[in-house]
Structure formats: structure tokens, C-alpha cells
Amino acid sequence: MINHELLAPLMFGGLILFLLIGYPAAFSLGAVGLFFSLIGIELGFFQPTFLQALPDRVFGILSNDLLLSIPFFTFMGAILEKCGLAEDLLEGLGQLFGPIRGGLAYAVIIVGAVLGAITGTVAASVIAMGLISLPVMLRYGYNPRVATGVIAASGTITQLIPPSLVLIILADQLGKSVGDMYAGAIGPSIIQVLLFCLFIFILSIVRPQDVPALPKEARPPIDLTLIKRILWGIIPSLALIFLVLGTILMGLATPTEGGAMGSVGALFLAALNKRLQKDLIWQAMTSTMRINAMVIFILIGSTVFGLAFRGVDGDLWIENLLSNLPGGQVGFLIVVNLFVFFLAFFLDYFEIAFIIIPLLAPVAQKLGIDLIWFGVLLGANMQTSFMHPPFGFALFYLRGVAPSSVKSSDIYWGALPWVGLQLILVAIIIFVPETVTYFVDKPTAIIDINAPSVDPLEGVQQNENIADSSSEIERQLRENK
């Protein structure tokens, strides 16, 4: 007979095994959850009525207004990917910064940040910049590793800059306001851009041959025509950023309403650039449908897994495991960030957010860690999931649009310094928490290095949310076990 204390570790290990083998995350979550539910019921660890909470939870997912913002932002990103905005920005800024060493790289970083603030999707940024900037950078003598690395890394800034899809999902999983999560991410986003620019600046001094300036014959005169071209790309971008992000941060619109306005604004920009065609809208709708279906299925699977995991006291096992680590809060943060970093080699950010975050959030809250700060920290860490060789999606996107002359090894080696810069950002957020809390209306205590470890069993019942019927069923059955 299986010991009750072994069931939770076996369940978690079984899920990781299924994911590493390559089964889809949504079906792996659901299958493992149902399988161990049957084992738990058969061994008498909980009653079949425990699963009565499942329909209410699934209905709660499908009726969650916050998740409605995901298809809006996805649709907006898909439209902007092909509306010509990125081309105007990259060409204009590339010509403006062309006379200085690393000028094209600076242009890519700035455009990556702007696209991140208006699209919210990595694929749109990486593909657009890979198609437009990479051939130009290679033609004028950029080291392929530097060129591919800066394009992939600048695309992943999208994951941290509002209105990132990752921040929406983290806010939902942590039970926090999306507006606060967006506000908390502003400081780290700015620091990330400055770190990238600083790296290019140092590289232009140490290895100037890797990031040469444009030759004189390739530099257009900096005149009114060039300024107009740059403004034609920047002004609509700033207007769309305010329409989406400004209204959310000012409390004038919910994330769903902001996403809807952003979608309308993206269609307007596409029409303004004479790119609004039937094929473009169809492709955007198809992409949106696929991503939204994937998110919903993963959410339903994670709900099945999470309910069964709580049934076998997996939440208490995780809390006991992480709350009693040496070093209290600091020890917890170090272990969690290392854990998420290595998981990012194999899982994408959706899977990490839906599987791991719900297990970590209760422990962080019991240790007195502010969940907005914790969410932004994990969001910065999860950026690396797009840059990890050999599984990073940003590297796959870039490989798909890079010229055949660029070796895959150059793309992978070129990504490593930028992963290091992303980890430096994680360290800055940990040791300087004001980078997150400064922009949040009511910052709270983040971490206390001298805080004692917390008994994970203390106050479990008091902290359970029994606002809906599914949680009430779960609470009553937990008490009667």
C-alpha cells in the first residue's frame, strides 16, 4: 500500500515525467490529476465527493473576465506584427543611430521595447526584427552572434513590459490586480533595456569590430524627411501605448477593456498603413483562436491537477518543503528562482505559470513576501524560457527567419550573454525591491532577511478562501479527512 506521504511527491514527479517525455501539458495535467484522484479515493485518502468542486472550478475559468483580455492582446499583437509599424521604426531609428558603433543594435533594443509595449507577444517582435534588421546587420559587418543575440533578447523584453500576457496570467494565478502587476513591472522593464544598451556600449569599446557603425555611403542625411519618418512610427506607437497601458494604469479601463481598445487601435494603424486586408484579419483571428484554446485547456488541466494535488495534501507537502529551507525568505527565493530557471529549459512560461505558481504563492504569502513583487520577480526569471539554448522559443523563431548563412550554433552561443543579463535583472529585483514597489500605489513589505521560518501547518484553514461553493466543499472535506 502506498504511504499517504509519498502520494504527493509521486504525483508531482509523474507530471514532470509526462512533460519531459513530450506529452501536451494540458492533457498531462488532466490525466495525472484524474489518475491520482482514483488512487486517492481507492486508498481512502479522500472521498469521491471531493471532486464535486471540479465543475465549479472549470465554470469559474470559463467565466473569468480577466482571461478575456488574453485573446484581445493576442489579436492586437498579430495585427501589429504585419501592419508595417515595426518596419518604419526599425528603418528610421537604424538610420538615426547608424553613425555610432552599435547603432543598429541600439535601434533593435529600443524598437523591441516599443513593440513589447504595444504587442505583448514575443513571436511578433522577434520575427519582425529578424526579417528586417538581421540581414542589414550582417551586411554591414555585425558579428552573427551579437546580431542574433540582441534580436532574440530584445524580443523577449516583451514578456516583462506591460501589457505582457505573462503578467496577466501571473496576476490571475496570484489573485492580484493586473494594474498593480503592470505598474510593478515598469521599473524592471526600464532596467532591462538599460542593461542591454550598456552591454552593447561596453562591447562597442572592447570589441568594436563586432558592432561597427554604418559606412558613410549607407547613412542618409539626418534631415526633416528622416525625422518625419521616425515620428510616423513613434507617435502612433505612443498613442496606442497610452490607449492600452495608460488607461489601465490610470484606472480608466480594466485589462479586458484596454485589450479591446488596443485591438481596435491596431486595426486602425493597419488601415493607416494600408495593410488592413482580409487575409491579415483571418491570420490574426486564427492565431488568436489557437493561443486562447491552448490557454483554456492548460487552465482546465491545471485545475484538475491542483484539486487532486490538494486532495493528497500536496499543498502542505510543498509548504513544508519550502517554508523550512535554511535562510527563511532569502533561502526560499534562491531555491525558487533556481527551480524556475531550470524548469524553463523544458517548459514554456504558460506551463510554468499554471503549474508551478499556484504551488509557490501560498508559501510566499506565509513567509510575508509581497505577491506583486514576487510575481514580477518570477516574470523576469521566466523571460529566460525564451532564450535557453536549445529549447528557447525566441531562438526557434529567429532560426525560422534567419538567412541560411547564419549557423544555429551562432544563434545559441549568441543567446548566452543575454541570458546572463536577464539573470542580473533577477538579482537586482531581489536586492533592490524598490525597483518594483516604487511604481505601485501602496508598496508593502517585500522580504525581511531576519524573518524566521514559518510553520506550514499553522493557519491553513484560516487562510483558505471559501468565497465560492467549490472552495467550501473542499474545506469541509479537508476538515473531515
Side-chain angles (χ1 to χ4, degrees):
M1 180 176 178
I2 301 177
N3 190 307
H4 187 194
E5 296 179 353
L6 292 177
L7 206 56
L10 286 174
M11 187 175 178
F12 189 75
L15 173 64
I16 298 299
L17 179 62
F18 269 87
L19 293 175
L20 292 179
I21 290 174
Y23 286 104
F27 303 122
S28 298
L29 286 162
V32 171
L34 292 175
F35 178 71
F36 277 88
S37 293
L38 295 176
I39 293 178
I41 292 171
E42 182 66 24
L43 297 178
F45 295 148
F46 55 85
Q47 299 298 317
T49 50
F50 188 77
L51 297 180
Q52 288 179 1
L54 188 57
D56 280 338
R57 292 194 171 204
V58 172
F59 180 77
I61 292 171
L62 299 178
S63 59
N64 188 340
D65 290 338
L66 176 60
L67 296 179
L68 188 59
S69 61
I70 293 177
F72 282 128
F73 284 119
T74 305
F75 181 77
M76 181 179 72
I79 292 292
L80 291 172
E81 179 183 346
K82 301 182 184 300
C83 78
L85 185 64
E87 288 91 332
D88 290 337
L89 280 172
L90 281 169
E91 291 177 9
L93 291 177
Q95 292 169 356
L96 182 65
F97 291 115
I100 63 175
R101 292 174 182 170
L104 293 178
Y106 291 130
V108 165
I109 293 169
I110 294 172
V111 172
V114 173
L115 290 180
I118 60 177
T119 66
T121 55
V122 171
S125 299
V126 174
I127 291 172
M129 293 190 294
L131 287 171
I132 301 164
S133 295
L134 185 57
V136 177
M137 297 172 84
L138 296 176
R139 185 188 314 142
Y140 292 113
Y142 270 68
N143 186 311
R145 294 184 180 182
V146 175
T148 55
V150 71
I151 290 174
S154 299
T156 60
I157 297 177
T158 300
Q159 292 307 293
L160 194 59
I161 294 181
S164 163
L165 295 182
V166 174
L167 297 177
I168 295 175
I169 294 169
L170 286 172
D172 178 68
Q173 295 298 301
L174 294 171
K176 292 296 181 180
S177 161
V178 175
D180 285 344
M181 195 70 74
Y182 281 175
I186 291 175
S189 300
I190 295 172
I191 294 173
Q192 183 83 98
V193 172
L194 293 177
L195 281 175
F196 287 177
C197 290
L198 179 62
F199 177 74
I200 293 297
F201 177 73
I202 294 173
L203 199 63
S204 67
I205 297 174
V206 177
R207 294 184 60 85
Q209 69 274 16
D210 288 347
V211 286
L214 289 179
K216 289 184 179 181
E217 60 272 14
R219 304 176 196 167
I222 300 178
D223 53 14
L224 189 59
T225 303
L226 178 59
I227 300 300
K228 284 182 178 179
R229 186 171 188 178
I230 294 172
L231 292 178
W232 179 255
I234 289 179
I235 291 178
S237 302
L238 294 177
L240 193 57
I241 290 171
F242 173 77
L243 187 66
V244 177
L245 189 56
T247 54
I248 294 174
L249 293 178
M250 293 170 64
L252 300 176
T254 65
T256 301
E257 293 166 346
M261 290 190 294
S263 296
V264 174
L267 291 172
F268 177 76
L269 286 183
L272 198 63
N273 286 299
K274 300 179 180 179
R275 302 287 183 90
L276 188 61
Q277 300 174 353
K278 182 179 178 180
D279 289 343
L280 171 63
I281 297 176
W282 178 256
Q283 291 173 11
M285 293 173 65
T286 303
S287 173
T288 301
M289 178 188 68
R290 288 175 177 169
I291 292 177
N292 201 50
M294 177 189 70
V295 169
I296 294 299
F297 271 101
I298 292 178
L299 260 177
I300 292 173
S302 66
T303 297
V304 175
F305 178 85
L307 184 61
F309 198 61
R310 286 178 66 87
V312 299
D313 290 336
D315 54 334
L316 301 183
W317 171 64
I318 292 289
E319 289 176 8
N320 187 46
L321 190 67
L322 295 177
S323 297
N324 293 324
L325 290 170
Q329 293 175 334
V330 175
F332 168 76
L333 291 171
I334 292 173
V335 170
V336 164
N337 278 283
L338 288 175
F339 181 55
V340 170
F341 177 75
F342 285 109
L343 275 184
F345 277 92
F346 312 105
L347 306 179
D348 67 21
Y349 67 95
F350 275 124
E351 294 164 350
I352 294 174
F354 289 136
I355 299 170
I356 304 301
I357 303 305
L359 302 178
L360 300 177
V363 185
Q365 193 166 23
K366 288 179 183 297
L367 289 172
I369 297 173
D370 178 60
L371 292 185
I372 293 293
W373 177 85
F374 186 62
V376 174
L377 173 66
L378 292 180
N381 195 334
M382 287 161 60
Q383 277 189 113
T384 60
S385 68
F386 282 90
M387 292 289 291
H388 280 317
F391 302 113
F393 283 105
L395 308 184
F396 291 155
Y397 298 145
L398 190 56
R399 175 67 280 175
V401 298
S404 57
S405 59
V406 177
K407 300 178 182 178
S408 295
S409 59
D410 287 334
I411 295 177
Y412 293 146
W413 282 110
L416 293 181
W418 304 92
V419 173
L421 293 173
Q422 291 172 337
L423 294 179
I424 290 174
L425 175 65
V426 171
I428 291 174
I429 295 174
I430 290 176
F431 293 107
V432 190
E434 291 79 12
T435 55
V436 174
T437 60
Y438 181 79
F439 293 95
V440 182
D441 288 339
K442 295 179 180 179
T444 58
I446 304 300
I447 60 171
D448 179 5
I449 295 177
N450 300 316
S453 298
V454 178
D455 180 3
L457 299 178
E458 181 180 354
V460 170
Q461 299 302 330
Q462 287 81 353
N463 286 327
E464 285 188 343
N465 180 7
I466 57 173
D468 59 20
S469 59
S470 66
S471 297
E472 175 67 19
I473 293 171
E474 185 179 329
R475 184 186 65 81
Q476 292 176 355
L477 290 171
R478 174 69 62 85
E479 290 176 346
N480 294 328
K481 281 175 62 176

